[in-house]
């Protein structure tokens, strides 16, 4: 059978790729014929052509396939086909065979796309190789920016403290071996913390009157920098100076500051943060440990009433901690006042537990074995009244309880809100883990060669579309997340200085919870993807992925388990930051929510949802509108669902539980919307040549976020199928464009080779 050359040329890419693996089945042909039967006009020429070339009983000979390839290469000459990567076989075929006056072109293109979908194939690499395109030279010819300049621009005012910490970590005395016996590893981590304290890093965040530097933002930057080196050291540092020291400073008053802050910052006094209980986990409000006021000895008795009330997973408790900030239910006379924090000595100077204190070692964990996690039990332990951290409430010598915050629930959440720095720090450290994993994997992918076009040298695996899709969107997300976290740290530093309203504090609490959940999940998934890209080499201990993955895993749980934080974020959004962060009093804002739910969303435009041009998809206004629409739509629809549950007579807890999946989706949408806004704000402030690559990264972040949630956008009638397909192709195109710059992008993370330490990917 002989078809006209133009029609054959149009179907040539599809035919070539379909047979490139040498196998085609009867069932595949039957599926294609059934699909083509629904295309008007396809029966005359298209179906016979397809049946001839895709007949499993009579496959084309190698000579015929070579002739097809030669025909396509000839048609490609002079049409700049070889200067770009093609992601759609139908688009390339239509381009090769284009004829502006041919009325049948539309029918043939529809038929071609129908066959491509029925085949379910992705022939990008085979097609580009067949056209003679140099796979490693596609996209940009080279990085069009300086990695050093990009690093300095993104790092901003964190540069000096990062360089200082990197210089310390590069010293031999900071060398750590996670493979050492855990008892030895713990001692080395503790010694490194002591060295940090001698260098003044433990006091960075505290006021100068207590020996500190008063630089909260520098303290967060130092923390995220340590994350590149060793996560056990990071957590040990964070427990001592952040959680223990931060709780004394934020929850205590001047008497506590004068007595303890300098000793904590210099590690003269080693401590821990005892909030979590075995039986209650994230539910701090209902912990069981009690602190009962005894006026006869002007103090409190700390007691663990049940086995489930033991303090569990407490960092620094098993070996080194001498004092703990213990959270307990305050009881004064016959009246309970909810959860408060107390300073409780747990060890004497000789290391033995104090009277009434039982300490157990949690032993080996899945990761972070340089941290001595332990369990604490208290059996009628007496402490002086002055050991109540009394910033928000106090008890007088005659047993009178007083607080400037009359609501126990509001007081509880206000107290926890002061510890928001921990969530910001964990989010920043998570971003550092993602940067480190991407640096190792991207450098490896650029140098590791496997497979390639027949008869040609093996190609770098970074040239493969799947590897690009695993790395480039994550690189873009890491840059975007870094910008958002830097902005959050700056806002928190201003708030810590005493400036900022109560509304600003609530917004920061919501944002910190949102970004901590997003960043910790991003770090864990990125580390796993990078391990897989590195293949067998990634499984070797020396290349760090195993240790990183095991250590960062717990970041999704501590400082607030991610699902719990995401529900807190959703509740904060539902109350429009007007109600107390995390409270369940949703009924009080139903009127507000119902009004919002009735507002039409203007972005749901019938013309916009069909547009597929690249310029439109790469327009930041379209990306911002789509991400904003998703967040607002989820907010209004969950409001309707909650109202319906309340109308049915459900209480707040039951209503929230019935909509839990929706609340978490809202929190995730809010995180991506916030990250994108922060990254766009950072880009708008950039006037240098770096702006072009930052624009590409922001576009990739936004389009990848939309593409991953394309089912939701389709279900919500915000986009039509051709548009979501176009977005998928645009993501692929952006990955290809950025791939030649991938190594330069991870170099812009600015991690010194002495800190990276992996044996693969060395230049």
């Amino acid at each position: 059978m002989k078809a006209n050359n133009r029609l054959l040329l149009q179907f040539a890419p599809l035919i070539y790729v379909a047979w490139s693996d040498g196998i085609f089945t009867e069932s595949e042909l039957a599926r294609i014929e059934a699909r083509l039967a629904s295309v008007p006009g396809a029966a005359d020429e298209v179906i016979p052509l397809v049946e001839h070339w895709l007949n499993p009983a009579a496959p084309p000979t190698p000579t015929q396939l070579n002739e097809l390839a030669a025909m396509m290469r000839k048609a490609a000459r002079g049409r700049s086909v070889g200067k770009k990567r093609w992601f759609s076989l139908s688009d390339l075929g239509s381009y090769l065979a284009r004829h502006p006056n041919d009325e049948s072109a539309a029918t043939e293109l529809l038929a071609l796309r129908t066959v491509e979908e029925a085949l379910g194939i992705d022939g990008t690499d085979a097609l580009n190789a067949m056209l003679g395109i140099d796979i490693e030279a596609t996209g940009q010819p080279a990085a069009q920016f300086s990695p050093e300049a990009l690093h300095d621009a993104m790092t901003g005012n964190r540069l000096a403290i990062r360089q200082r910490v990197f210089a310390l970590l590069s010293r031999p005395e900071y060398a750590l071996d996670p493979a050492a016996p855990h008892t030895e590893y713990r001692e080395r981590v503790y010694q490194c913390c002591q060295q940090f304290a001698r260098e003044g890093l433990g006091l960075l965040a505290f006021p100068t009157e207590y020996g500190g530097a008063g630089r909260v933002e520098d303290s967060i930057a130092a923390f995220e920098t340590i994350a590149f080196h060793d996560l056990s050291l990071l957590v040990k540092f964070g427990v001592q100076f952040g959680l223990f020291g931060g709780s004394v400073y934020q929850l205590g008053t001047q008497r506590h500051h004068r007595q303890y802050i300098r000793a904590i910052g210099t590690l003269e006094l080693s401590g821990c943060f005892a909030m979590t209980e075995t039986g209650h986990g994230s539910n701090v409000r209902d912990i069981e440990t009690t602190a009962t006021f005894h006026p006869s000895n002007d103090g409190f008795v700390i007691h663990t009433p049940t086995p489930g009330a033991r303090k569990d997973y407490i960092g620094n408790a098993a070996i080194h901690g001498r004092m703990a900030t213990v959270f307990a239910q305050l009881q004064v006379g016959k009246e309970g006042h909810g959860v408060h924090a107390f300073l409780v000595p747990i060890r004497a100077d000789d290391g033995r537990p104090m009277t009434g204190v039982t300490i157990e070692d949690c032993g080996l964990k899945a990761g972070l074995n340089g941290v001595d996690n332990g369990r604490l039990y208290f059996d009628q332990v007496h402490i002086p009244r002055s050991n109540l951290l009394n910033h928000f409430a106090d008890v007088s010598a005659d047993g009178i309880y007083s607080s400037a915050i009359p609501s126990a629930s509001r007081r509880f959440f206000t107290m926890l809100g002061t510890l928001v720095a921990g969530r910001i720090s964990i989010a920043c450290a998570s971003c550092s883990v993602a940067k480190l994993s991407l640096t190792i994997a991207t450098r490896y992918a650029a140098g590791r060669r496997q497979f390639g076009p027949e008869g040609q040298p093996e190609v770098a695996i970074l040239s493969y579309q799947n590897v690009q899709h695993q790395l480039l969107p994550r690189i873009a997300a890491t840059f975007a997340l870094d910008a958002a976290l830097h902005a959050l740290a700056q806002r928190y530093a201003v708030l810590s200085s005493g400036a900022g309203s109560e509304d600003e504090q609530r917004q920061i609490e919501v944002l910190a919870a949102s970004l901590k959940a997003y960043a910790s999940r991003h770090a864990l998934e990125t580390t796993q993807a990078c391990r897989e890209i590195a293949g067998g080499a990634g499984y070797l201990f020396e290349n760090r992925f195993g240790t990183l993955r095991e250590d960062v895993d717990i970041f999704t749980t501590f400082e607030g388990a991610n699902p719990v934080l995401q529900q807190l974020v959703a509740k904060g959004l539902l109350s429009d930051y007007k109600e107390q962060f995390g409270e369940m009093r949703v009924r009080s804002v139903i009127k507000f929510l119902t009004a919002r739910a009735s507002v039409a969303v203007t972005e749901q435009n019938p013309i916009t949802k069909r547009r597929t041009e690249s310029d439109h998809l790469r327009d930041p206004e379209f990306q911002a509108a789509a991400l904003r629409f998703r967040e607002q739509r989820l907010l209004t629809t969950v409001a309707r669902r909650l109202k319906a549950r309340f109308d049915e007579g459900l209480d707040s807890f039951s209503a929230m539980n019935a909509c839990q999946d929706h609340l978490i989706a809202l929190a995730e949408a809010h995180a991506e919307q916030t990250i994108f806004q922060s990254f766009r704000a950072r880009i708008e402030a950039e006037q240098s040549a770096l702006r072009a690559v930052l624009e590409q990264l922001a576009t990739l972040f936004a389009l990848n976020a939309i593409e991953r949630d394309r089912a939701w956008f389709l279900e919500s009638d915000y986009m039509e199928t051709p548009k979501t397909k176009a977005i998928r192709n645009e993501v692929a195109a952006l990955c290809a464009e950025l791939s030649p710059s991938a190594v330069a992008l991870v170099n812009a993370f600015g991690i010194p080779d002495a800190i990276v330490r992996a044996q693969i990917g060395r230049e």
Side-chain angles (χ1 to χ4, degrees):
M1 189 211 85
K2 185 175 181 180
N4 68 72
N5 283 342
R6 185 194 53 74
L7 182 61
L8 178 58
L9 189 60
Q10 187 162 356
F11 276 79
L14 186 145
I15 294 167
Y16 179 85
V17 173
W19 286 110
S20 61
D21 287 333
I23 299 173
F24 197 73
T25 66
E26 291 282 358
S27 62
E28 288 177 300
L29 180 60
R31 185 170 66 250
I32 291 169
E33 289 174 333
R35 296 280 291 272
L36 281 175
S38 65
V39 178
D44 295 338
E45 284 189 291
V46 173
I47 292 179
L49 175 72
V50 170
E51 287 177 339
H52 173 74
W53 279 98
L54 298 183
N55 182 1
T61 66
T63 300
Q64 288 174 311
L65 282 178
N66 287 337
E67 288 174 354
L68 271 182
M71 184 188 302
M72 284 188 284
R73 283 194 291 268
K74 181 178 179 181
R77 291 195 194 107
R79 295 190 182 179
S80 72
V81 175
K83 294 182 180 179
K84 66 174 289 186
R85 273 177 92 78
W86 291 89
F87 300 98
S88 167
L89 305 180
S90 53
D91 287 344
L92 175 58
S94 179
Y95 181 82
L96 290 172
R98 67 188 182 193
H99 195 297
N101 299 320
D102 192 340
E103 296 180 358
S104 66
T107 296
E108 291 165 1
L109 179 58
L110 177 58
L112 184 55
R113 287 178 174 167
T114 300
V115 176
E116 183 176 0
E117 290 177 4
L119 282 170
I121 56 178
D122 182 355
T124 305
D125 286 331
L127 201 55
N128 284 285
M130 177 274 301
L131 288 174
I133 300 172
D134 181 355
I135 294 178
E136 294 189 84
T138 55
Q140 299 178 10
Q144 301 296 305
F145 60 90
S146 161
E148 293 78 14
L150 181 57
H151 168 258
D152 291 352
M154 291 299 294
T155 305
N157 60 357
R158 297 172 289 175
L159 186 59
I161 186 65
R162 275 196 175 184
Q163 290 176 336
R164 178 184 170 192
V165 175
F166 277 142
L168 292 174
L169 293 174
S170 298
R171 294 179 184 174
E173 58 264 36
Y174 284 92
L176 289 165
D177 181 11
H182 77 281
T183 52
E184 178 184 327
Y185 187 23
R186 287 173 170 182
E187 287 307 314
R188 284 291 300 121
V189 166
Y190 183 60
Q191 291 167 13
C192 287
C193 273
Q194 290 177 314
Q195 290 164 329
F196 273 137
R198 286 193 288 270
E199 295 288 344
L201 295 184
L203 284 163
L204 271 176
F206 298 115
T208 54
E209 57 263 40
Y210 307 117
R215 300 199 302 269
V216 171
E217 198 175 350
D218 275 4
S219 178
I220 295 172
F223 188 82
E224 68 179 350
T225 307
I226 297 169
F228 293 121
H229 179 64
D230 183 278
L231 293 185
S232 284
L233 176 58
L234 175 90
V235 171
K236 187 83 167 179
F237 182 93
V239 167
Q240 172 66 24
F241 307 117
L243 289 178
F244 179 51
S247 64
V248 173
Y249 180 67
Q250 297 286 353
L251 302 179
T253 52
Q254 197 172 59
R255 72 184 187 217
H256 304 108
H257 303 162
R258 286 196 300 262
Q259 185 173 356
Y260 296 113
I261 292 298
R262 190 184 297 270
I264 293 171
T266 59
L267 239 177
E268 179 186 340
L269 174 62
S270 179
C272 45
F273 185 82
M275 176 184 282
T276 301
E277 291 184 359
T278 305
H280 298 279
S282 297
N283 184 15
V284 179
R285 190 202 296 265
D286 292 329
I287 60 175
E288 295 180 74
T289 299
T290 58
T292 305
F293 179 64
H294 282 213
S296 59
N297 59 9
D298 194 27
F300 300 96
V301 173
I302 309 297
H303 186 62
T304 303
T306 70
R310 71 183 183 186
K311 299 298 181 180
D312 213 345
Y313 322 120
I314 309 303
N316 250 7
I319 298 175
H320 299 123
R322 288 169 41 214
M323 179 175 281
T325 298
V326 176
F327 289 78
Q329 302 284 356
L330 173 59
Q331 187 76 24
V332 180
K334 296 181 179 181
E335 190 174 1
H337 295 280
V339 177
H340 290 64
F342 303 82
L343 291 177
V344 182
I346 61 172
R347 275 190 181 84
D349 291 341
D350 62 6
R352 289 183 296 180
M354 300 292 284
T355 302
V357 178
T358 300
I359 303 174
E360 293 178 354
D361 194 330
C362 289
L364 286 172
K365 308 178 293 292
L368 297 177
N369 283 306
V371 183
D372 54 319
N373 294 86
R375 302 182 180 99
L376 300 173
Y377 304 77
F378 303 100
D379 183 11
Q380 306 294 335
V381 176
H382 290 260
I383 60 171
R385 183 168 57 89
S386 59
N387 280 26
L388 166 66
L389 294 174
N390 61 333
H391 181 74
F392 296 109
D394 207 350
V395 177
S396 66
D398 53 357
I400 303 299
Y401 178 84
S402 61
S403 174
I405 305 174
S407 164
S409 180
R410 183 178 176 82
R411 187 165 55 247
F412 171 74
F413 282 105
T414 300
M415 177 182 67
L416 294 189
T418 61
L419 305 176
V420 70
R423 288 173 182 163
I424 297 174
S425 297
I426 288 297
C428 291
S430 297
C431 190
S432 294
V433 172
K435 289 178 180 179
L436 178 57
S437 295
L438 287 165
T439 297
I440 298 169
T442 302
R443 289 176 176 176
Y444 173 81
R448 171 64 165 165
R449 294 177 174 273
Q450 283 201 110
F451 308 108
E454 188 174 350
Q456 298 183 33
E458 290 184 307
V459 299
I461 64 172
L462 184 56
S463 64
Y464 289 108
Q465 187 185 74
N466 180 61
V467 174
Q468 293 174 7
H469 281 203
Q470 291 295 317
L471 290 175
L472 271 306
R474 288 184 166 92
I475 290 173
T478 303
F479 272 98
L481 178 61
D482 184 67
L485 290 171
H486 189 197
L488 174 59
Q490 289 178 317
R491 288 177 66 182
Y492 177 72
V494 172
L495 185 69
S496 299
S497 69
S501 63
E502 183 177 338
D503 182 60
E504 170 74 355
Q505 179 178 340
R506 300 305 174 202
Q507 290 185 41
I508 288 174
E509 290 167 5
V510 171
L511 186 53
S514 175
L515 295 186
K516 183 271 177 183
Y518 182 94
S520 57
R521 174 57 56 184
H522 172 65
L524 184 59
E525 292 178 350
T526 295
T527 301
Q528 176 62 27
C530 289
R531 204 294 299 156
E532 293 181 25
I533 285 168
Y539 205 63
L540 295 177
F541 179 84
E542 65 182 7
N543 291 321
R544 303 194 63 184
F545 290 120
T547 302
L548 286 172
R549 183 179 54 194
E550 291 167 354
D551 287 351
V552 82
D553 192 336
I554 195 63
F555 283 27
T556 63
T557 300
F558 65 37
E559 289 296 333
N562 284 357
V564 175
L565 291 185
Q566 288 171 320
Q567 290 174 82
L568 292 176
V569 171
K571 292 169 195 172
L573 296 173
L574 282 167
S575 62
D576 201 32
Y577 305 116
K578 293 177 182 177
E579 293 291 315
Q580 170 62 40
F581 177 68
E583 288 199 53
M584 301 289 285
R585 295 199 308 262
V586 181
R587 291 179 184 275
S588 62
V589 291
I590 283 297
K591 182 178 179 181
F592 162 76
L593 295 173
T594 304
R596 173 170 283 189
S598 66
V599 176
V601 183
T602 58
E603 286 93 343
Q604 208 163 2
N605 185 301
I607 297 175
T608 302
K609 66 183 181 182
R610 297 191 184 106
R611 293 185 64 184
T612 60
E613 328 76 275
S614 180
D615 287 347
H616 165 67
L617 299 180
R618 296 195 183 203
D619 185 347
E621 291 188 9
F622 155 69
Q623 299 154 18
L627 295 175
R628 180 174 61 247
F629 168 81
R630 181 177 57 165
E631 181 185 6
Q632 291 299 314
R633 177 65 174 268
L634 286 167
L635 180 61
T636 56
T637 51
V638 78
R640 293 190 189 106
R641 286 184 67 186
L642 286 169
K643 184 178 184 300
R645 300 302 185 278
F646 290 139
D647 290 345
E648 293 168 2
L650 292 184
D651 56 54
S652 292
F653 174 82
S654 298
M656 285 288 186
N657 191 46
C659 301
Q660 192 174 54
D661 58 337
H662 204 147
L663 294 169
I664 290 174
L666 170 59
E668 291 171 346
H670 174 70
E672 289 187 324
Q673 155 80 336
T674 301
I675 292 167
F676 180 71
Q677 287 179 332
S678 295
F679 199 21
R680 287 301 321 172
R682 174 64 190 82
I683 292 169
E684 293 302 323
E686 184 60 56
Q687 301 299 322
S688 71
L690 297 172
R691 182 157 182 161
V693 70
L694 291 173
E695 291 278 5
Q696 285 180 297
L697 291 168
T699 297
L700 180 55
F701 171 75
L703 292 184
N704 187 61
I706 295 167
E707 198 269 334
R708 279 188 288 102
D709 213 8
R710 62 188 179 277
W712 185 90
F713 283 103
L714 287 168
E715 289 175 353
S716 302
D717 198 30
Y718 187 74
M719 297 176 188
E720 294 184 352
T721 301
K723 185 163 191 168
T724 60
K725 289 182 178 179
I727 290 173
R728 182 181 62 207
N729 289 338
E730 206 64 42
V731 168
L734 279 163
C735 288
E737 290 171 18
L738 283 166
S739 62
S741 303
V743 173
L745 286 169
V746 297
N747 287 346
F749 292 147
I751 314 171
D753 289 343
I755 304 299
V756 174
R757 298 199 311 277
Q759 298 305 304
I760 58 172
R762 289 179 176 269
E763 295 179 309

